[in-house]
Amino acid sequence: MTKKNEQRSARRKSLLTGASVIAAAAATLGGAPAFAQDVQEEEAIVVTGSRLVRQDFEAISPITTVGSDQLELTATMTTDSLLNELPQVVPGNTRTSNNAGGEDFATVDLRGLNFTGNTTRTLVLVNGERVPASSTTGVVDLNTIPASLISRIEVVTGGASAVYGSDAVAGVINFVLKDDYEGGEVNVTYGAEMETGNVAEFEINGLVGGNFANGRGNLTTYASYYNRSGVFQSEYDYSRVSAAVCYDGAVEPSYFVCDSVSEAIANGWLASPNLPGGSGTPPWGTVSNNPGNAFGAVGGGLSVSLPGQFAAANTDCNPATAGVAVNSGNLSFNDAGQLTPLFGGGYCRIPERSAGSSRYSFAPDNYLILPGERVALTTNGHYDITDDITLSVLMNYSNVRTTNQLAPTPATGLTITLTPNMRNLIQANAPDLWTALQTRPNPYAPFTMSRRTNELGARVGYSENNAFYFMAGLDGSLGENWDWRLMASYGQSHFLQRLTGSANRSALLQGLAGCQSAEPGPDGVLNTADDTGGAIPGLRAGCVPLDIFGSNTLTAPMVNFLSTTTFSQTIVEENRIGGYLRGDLFELPAGPVAAVFGFEYRDQQLEFHVDNEQKQGNIFGFNALQDQEGSIDVYELYAEIAVPLISEAPFAHYLGLEAGFRRSNYSTVGNVDTYKIGGEWAPVEWLRFRAMFNEATRAPNVFELFQAGDQGFPSYVDPCNGAAPVAACAGAPGAANLPAGLYPFNQNNTQVQAFAFGNPNLTPETAETTTLGFVFQPDWFPVGDLRATVDWFDIDIADVVANRGANFWLLDCYANGNVLGGCARITRDGTGQVTAVNISRANFASLSTSGVDVQLEWSVPIGPGQLTINELYSTLDSFDFSGLELAGSTSAGINSAFPDNKSVLSVSYNVGDWTLFGRWTYTPGMDSSFLGPVGGFGFDVGTTPEASYFDLSARWNVTDNFTLTANIDNVADEYPPLTADGTFAQANTDVQVYRVLGRTLAISGRYRF
């Protein structure tokens, strides 16, 4: 490499990888703060979060770095698992996200600002450049970035849109990959839970590189294979039952998680009527009682017609309670296939089948940790075309596969039509049910059931993400103080998903009619004894009458008729070109005025396609989805400037300003301007104050703009309920009209069918982010080296894109009289019931957060080695979503844990060929934002327990070429506590806060050659 290129390489060196001893030590710790480096005076550096070239001074925006040593010492094989330990990060989708409800891959969420879902306010970079999204929401799959290829991770908190463009509202996470490598190495890592051997993880990777053309170029190639075994919730006591919430009004807190009847009885708890466990749709089925055609109305009641199961039924699952006679009501089946009352009250709300409950525990079929597999190939290199021009290339391909599994399909509201075929089937296979049907005033009328189709197997989703990224750049020098860069990139993400175990809706309905329609017999009246069977229009091939009356009643032909496999694919393509000119404008007494002038163009084409069964909503257990397609392109110009005002003066070792501006022109929302302005003042060399204000933006993504009517079933309240006609309802136009003749009127259901659409008129979200802090690094500290930063942050986002749900549009029509708005979105049937509401998004919400980040590092020689202590600590003063304060609370869901504070303490000791490492992570208890006082229920569920974990690692350089590393996570072997909100989320606990595995061990070996 030539002298000029050496200088140019030095100019590009990140602030976070400078030459100081303390920075090198920090790489072995939990995220290290960014400090000034002991560089030569002429050496310039570039800080993530800015493209400015600097001369030996601090980053104004707070930065945290995770080095490759920590990735190695913590046996990190997936990047999300390490990032989620950082105090600034609220866990998004992880390896535990079995029923994510959004993206089916790993995500990252700085400050929890992805709270609204289906979007990202954290920008992910690789080597300082954008990478293509993995879905129409703009989110990047972190699994496509292999942990073992990462040289370091740089986390910039606070808005950075003026530097990087849209989405950098909460900040930026920059994955810097290994490059410029000479030699070769092979790494092998294996880990698993120590006691059980569960969740075995294995990775093998290799890195080889070398110089060519007499040192003018270097080519580095990396390949890896990773595999993780999954584990089901059935493997652990805390998660094997879909628990209920019990209560005891005599104590505080008064609500408890209970997963067995004997436990509840022994503690004197009562099963809460509002918070039952498991599902009311079991694989043995439930039969709904119609009050207008009730069971037991004829013949003296069911206790007379079926005395064996109804004369002395244990309806509360309490063995100490005497049985009672049951003459009517909802019904179910026991394990012998006999008809029984529906046992769903009292302790039967706990889904314990052996205690007699009719409820179903779906937990055993669900993954606790998802299985995963990844293959990755990366090549990067550079070549000095001339002494002043360098060509660089990066090519990356990854294939990531994950599997999630849910309990078998719950099919609810099934109408069984008593055609001749179905009458024969029920009389032969479920005689008790036939007897009960005859106790109704109209014994041949249809009836309604719900049943889970366990014979079809669990609902298994197979996801595969093929991601390819190519980037080429030219870097050059213009004299001693100016350099330039031109780059172009292309990326594609192809995400495929296959879902098995679903039940075809039309097949189920046809089979439950016995593959024939009911036709009136000689008496000319339908639903009487002489009905005949007719042909069903559009009858599916292979139709067979279905037996769902009890457990395991669907035969192989029935299963073949019902089973449906569905498919979806997401294709994201992105093209980018950009460049900048960077250098010193002129010299001031305090130093040069540095500036950057740049441009960028990018276009995204995004497509989401599903099969016809999903489009038509023709599957049970999943809502209908529609194709989405759209494109966005943006032209951008930007500039940054740094002005040194005073240098080397009394009480002003350094005083300077920094500013930036970006003009973006989107094809969807037009012109958007962002800017930043900040400053720093160092009264003395070892103390520096810094401040930064950013106006950041997020342009709407394709999903928000172009969603095409995906189906959902939200809760709602009909404003037209009442005994007397409501004028606004009777006067509403079109399909929203509720005629006065239908009163008195009450809604039948608590949920309504809703179709969600995008909004092409959305505007960008705007955020004002402010950081104020100081850096303390005394060269006079008496013992060792001390470095510390304290930064206050405040982020306020306006015009947040959020859903306007069914209730909003109902009120918009009937309370506000908005004919073209709410009324046009509502459809009622002939009985007046709301059958559908078209919902959409708008820029109407607000989101804000504030707090303090503290980073402390102390390194001191002790004995023959070096001891380094690093502390990352964050406090959360506020997290407010449209007036709802969530700081200090959790709902146990994804992107929903907001502790008042969080701490990561790391200690390392380097001596000779050994490195010893320990880490303590701590999260305090939180209030419930779902069941508790923060949420809508207001139950006294108490505060969740704290999460405190210790990890230990040791690394031994056995020879110059071979290194062994051992890591033990969760040394105390702590399993997660049960939380009330967790019964509505996953595994009866908060998997975003607590580790779901006990003590785990990982061993890795690295051989260099």
Side-chain angles (χ1 to χ4, degrees):
M1 182 177 289
T2 66
K3 178 70 172 178
K4 287 185 178 181
N5 285 321
E6 288 175 352
Q7 293 173 342
R8 186 165 65 250
S9 175
R11 279 201 305 273
R12 298 192 187 101
K13 185 179 295 182
S14 168
L15 174 65
L16 303 173
T17 54
S20 71
V21 173
I22 196 68
T28 68
L29 301 176
F35 298 118
Q37 309 301 307
D38 300 331
V39 293
Q40 299 300 320
E41 174 140 359
E42 72 273 14
E43 182 177 333
I45 48 185
V46 177
V47 182
T48 297
S50 173
R51 291 188 172 90
L52 289 166
V53 174
R54 307 166 183 273
Q55 295 288 338
D56 189 23
F57 65 89
E58 295 298 334
I60 297 181
S61 295
I63 301 176
T64 301
T65 289
V66 177
S68 59
D69 267 6
Q70 189 190 352
L71 294 167
E72 179 181 328
L73 286 167
T74 55
T76 299
M77 288 181 269
T78 56
T79 55
D80 62 290
S81 61
L82 182 61
L83 286 174
N84 287 332
E85 299 289 352
L86 296 179
Q88 302 96 326
V89 174
V90 172
N93 284 12
T94 68
R95 63 180 186 168
T96 62
S97 301
N98 185 51
N99 190 13
E103 312 299 356
D104 290 300
F105 47 75
T107 63
V108 65
D109 183 9
L110 275 176
R111 304 292 184 201
L113 294 182
N114 293 352
F115 176 74
T116 55
N118 293 319
T119 190
T120 180
R121 297 181 179 94
T122 300
L123 183 61
V124 174
L125 306 175
V126 171
N127 289 347
E129 303 286 353
R130 285 176 174 264
V131 291
S134 302
S135 75
T136 58
T137 63
V139 181
V140 173
D141 182 1
L142 294 186
N143 286 322
T144 62
I145 307 172
S148 52
L149 182 60
I150 296 170
S151 173
R152 64 187 181 277
I153 305 171
E154 300 169 351
V155 181
V156 180
T157 55
S161 290
V163 179
Y164 297 110
S166 179
D167 299 338
V169 174
V172 169
I173 297 182
N174 183 22
F175 296 90
V176 182
L177 305 183
K178 297 174 182 177
D179 65 355
D180 208 19
Y181 188 82
E182 289 189 74
E185 66 177 60
V186 175
N187 298 271
V188 178
T189 303
Y190 177 84
E193 189 177 38
M194 292 181 68
E195 182 178 350
T196 64
N198 288 339
V199 195
E201 292 184 278
F202 170 77
E203 182 178 25
I204 181 170
N205 64 75
L207 184 67
V208 62
N211 294 331
F212 61 90
N214 296 319
R216 297 180 69 90
N218 178 274
L219 192 66
T220 301
T221 298
Y222 165 91
S224 72
Y225 172 76
Y226 165 78
N227 184 280
R228 177 181 66 229
S229 299
V231 65
F232 290 101
Q233 292 184 24
S234 59
E235 292 291 318
Y236 297 94
D237 289 340
Y238 67 87
S239 60
R240 62 169 45 107
V241 175
S242 307
V245 177
C246 295
Y247 69 98
D248 182 349
V251 298
E252 292 185 2
S254 53
Y255 285 81
F256 309 88
V257 178
C258 50
D259 54 14
S260 75
V261 172
S262 60
E263 175 194 24
I265 293 175
N267 287 283
W269 298 340
L270 300 176
S272 169
N274 299 316
L275 307 171
S279 168
T281 306
W284 39 87
T286 63
V287 184
S288 298
N289 182 50
N290 179 0
N293 191 34
F295 292 111
V298 176
L302 294 177
S303 64
V304 175
S305 303
L306 296 167
Q309 297 89 257
F310 289 83
N314 185 4
T315 57
D316 64 357
C317 296
N318 186 346
T321 302
V324 297
V326 176
N327 289 306
S328 189
N330 297 328
L331 310 176
S332 188
F333 297 88
N334 61 24
D335 289 339
Q338 298 171 313
L339 191 70
T340 69
L342 177 66
F343 299 123
Y347 290 114
C348 296
R349 296 188 181 99
I350 302 171
E352 187 176 356
R353 187 63 167 163
S354 60
S357 175
S358 295
R359 297 187 67 82
Y360 173 65
S361 176
F362 51 78
D365 296 315
N366 285 255
Y367 273 121
L368 179 64
I369 292 181
L370 309 181
E373 189 175 23
R374 179 184 65 228
V375 174
L377 299 170
T378 300
T379 296
N380 54 45
H382 60 82
Y383 176 70
D384 295 336
I385 299 173
T386 70
D387 287 349
D388 296 312
I389 300 177
T390 299
L391 169 68
S392 60
V393 295
L394 169 66
M395 291 181 289
N396 180 70
Y397 169 77
S398 61
N399 175 274
V400 180
R401 302 180 185 219
T402 56
T403 304
N404 66 308
Q405 179 171 307
L406 301 176
T409 297
T412 59
L414 301 173
T415 298
I416 290 85
T417 304
L418 292 177
T419 62
N421 285 348
M422 289 306 294
R423 296 177 190 182
N424 293 335
L425 186 150
I426 294 172
Q427 291 178 63
N429 297 352
D432 287 353
L433 175 59
W434 183 255
T435 298
L437 292 171
Q438 302 311 299
T439 67
R440 302 179 300 165
N442 184 356
Y444 298 101
F447 64 98
T448 302
M449 280 191 65
S450 295
R451 188 184 187 276
R452 197 172 290 265
T453 57
N454 279 38
E455 295 90 338
L456 274 62
R459 290 169 289 170
V460 183
Y462 301 94
S463 301
E464 179 179 359
N465 189 5
N466 287 282
F468 172 76
Y469 179 65
F470 172 80
M471 183 180 68
L474 288 173
D475 295 87
S477 295
L478 296 172
E480 293 297 323
N481 297 319
W482 286 85
D483 64 289
W484 56 269
R485 175 172 172 79
L486 292 173
M487 60 78 59
S489 69
Y490 170 79
Q492 183 187 87
S493 176
H494 195 181
F495 189 84
L496 301 171
Q497 191 169 58
R498 176 170 59 94
L499 184 66
T500 65
S502 296
N504 186 281
R505 181 181 295 271
S506 59
L508 192 53
L509 297 179
Q510 290 177 4
L512 292 177
C515 304
Q516 57 185 190
S517 63
E519 304 292 341
D523 65 3
V525 180
L526 190 62
N527 300 328
T528 59
D530 66 347
D531 286 353
T532 62
I536 295 180
L539 186 68
R540 297 176 65 91
C543 187
V544 55
L546 298 176
D547 181 359
I548 62 169
F549 313 112
S551 300
N552 300 313
T553 55
L554 292 173
T555 64
M558 298 176 189
V559 169
N560 292 336
F561 178 58
L562 284 177
S563 294
T564 295
T565 298
T566 59
F567 302 88
S568 67
Q569 66 171 344
T570 302
I571 301 173
V572 181
E573 288 188 89
E574 181 177 271
N575 298 283
R576 292 179 61 238
I577 59 172
Y580 58 76
L581 180 65
R582 179 174 62 187
D584 298 337
L585 291 174
F586 51 86
E587 192 81 17
L588 292 177
V593 175
V596 177
F597 305 95
F599 74 95
E600 183 175 338
Y601 167 80
R602 63 182 180 273
D603 67 71
Q604 286 184 326
Q605 296 85 37
L606 303 100
E607 302 175 25
F608 174 71
H609 300 288
V610 296
D611 54 48
N612 286 330
E613 299 292 354
Q614 292 185 85
K615 288 180 184 177
Q616 297 167 6
N618 198 27
I619 51 174
F620 265 104
F622 293 92
N623 297 327
L625 297 173
Q626 303 302 319
D627 289 349
Q628 300 166 29
E629 187 169 349
S631 63
I632 299 174
D633 62 67
V634 57
Y635 297 83
E636 298 182 296
L637 296 174
Y638 61 87
E640 290 183 79
I641 188 169
V643 182
L645 301 177
I646 304 175
S647 178
E648 305 292 342
F651 302 105
H653 178 72
Y654 182 83
L655 178 66
L657 297 175
E658 179 181 311
F661 177 81
R662 177 179 288 251
R663 163 64 63 90
S664 304
N665 180 267
Y666 286 87
S667 59
T668 52
V669 295
N671 289 333
V672 176
D673 294 334
T674 58
Y675 64 90
K676 67 172 183 176
I677 184 167
E680 56 182 336
W681 170 49
V684 291
E685 187 174 5
W686 45 267
L687 179 63
R688 189 176 302 266
F689 298 92
R690 59 191 182 185
M692 178 65 75
F693 175 83
N694 283 270
E695 180 161 301
T697 62
R698 187 188 71 85
N701 59 50
V702 166
F703 181 81
E704 293 165 327
L705 292 168
F706 305 118
Q707 188 182 17
D710 294 345
Q711 183 187 44
F713 290 89
S715 299
Y716 85 110
V717 176
D718 195 332
C720 299
N721 287 333
V726 178
C729 301
N737 177 261
L738 181 61
L742 293 178
Y743 278 86
F745 174 81
N746 285 289
Q747 66 188 80
N748 288 336
N749 301 301
T750 60
Q751 293 179 311
V752 65
Q753 181 176 227
F755 295 99
F757 290 86
N759 181 357
N761 297 316
L762 292 173
T763 60
E765 298 176 349
T766 58
E768 294 182 350
T769 71
T770 304
T771 57
L772 300 171
F774 67 85
V775 181
F776 178 68
Q777 43 185 350
D779 54 4
W780 44 261
F781 198 72
V783 181
D785 294 311
L786 178 69
R787 305 288 190 269
T789 67
V790 178
D791 291 283
W792 173 78
F793 65 89
D794 182 86
I795 303 174
D796 291 293
I797 311 175
D799 301 321
V800 171
V801 176
N803 280 323
R804 290 199 187 277
N807 283 320
F808 173 87
W809 295 113
L810 287 164
L811 290 173
D812 191 48
C813 174
Y814 300 115
N816 301 332
N818 189 347
V819 174
L820 297 179
C823 296
R825 296 171 176 269
I826 299 166
T827 302
R828 294 181 181 270
D829 63 16
T831 67
Q833 297 296 324
V834 178
T835 58
V837 180
N838 291 339
I839 63 175
S840 186
R841 296 173 178 81
N843 298 91
F844 73 93
S846 63
L847 186 59
S848 63
T849 185
S850 63
V852 176
D853 292 330
V854 178
Q855 304 184 46
L856 176 68
E857 179 185 301
W858 181 51
S859 184
V860 59
I862 293 183
Q866 187 83 9
L867 175 70
T868 304
I869 300 174
N870 181 278
E871 165 68 13
L872 299 178
Y873 180 80
S874 289
T875 66
L876 183 65
D877 298 330
S878 176
F879 189 97
D880 183 287
F881 177 68
S882 294
L884 177 64
E885 181 56 62
L886 294 170
S889 71
T890 178
S891 69
I894 295 170
N895 306 116
S896 70
F898 306 104
D900 286 325
N901 57 80
K902 188 176 179 181
S903 170
V904 180
L905 174 66
S906 302
V907 179
S908 72
Y909 185 68
N910 290 277
V911 54
D913 292 325
W914 287 86
T915 298
L916 305 178
F917 175 80
R919 181 178 63 177
W920 173 47
T921 60
Y922 174 80
T923 302
M926 288 174 275
D927 294 328
S928 163
S929 61
F930 179 59
L931 293 177
V934 180
F937 286 88
F939 294 138
D940 181 15
V941 297
T943 300
T944 62
E946 64 184 22
S948 180
Y949 298 102
F950 293 91
D951 309 316
L952 294 174
S953 298
R955 181 173 61 195
W956 177 30
N957 296 320
V958 182
T959 69
D960 290 342
N961 297 326
F962 183 61
T963 300
L964 275 177
T965 303
N967 169 262
I968 298 177
D969 273 353
N970 192 4
V971 173
D973 201 25
E974 296 280 348
Y975 282 98
L978 302 179
T979 68
D981 281 4
T983 63
F984 289 84
Q986 184 174 342
N988 302 321
T989 189
D990 192 337
V991 298
Q992 308 297 306
V993 175
Y994 304 107
R995 300 187 188 180
V996 298
L997 297 180
R999 186 183 299 118
T1000 60
L1001 172 66
I1003 303 290
S1004 64
R1006 180 179 65 219
Y1007 179 73
R1008 290 193 174 102
F1009 55 91

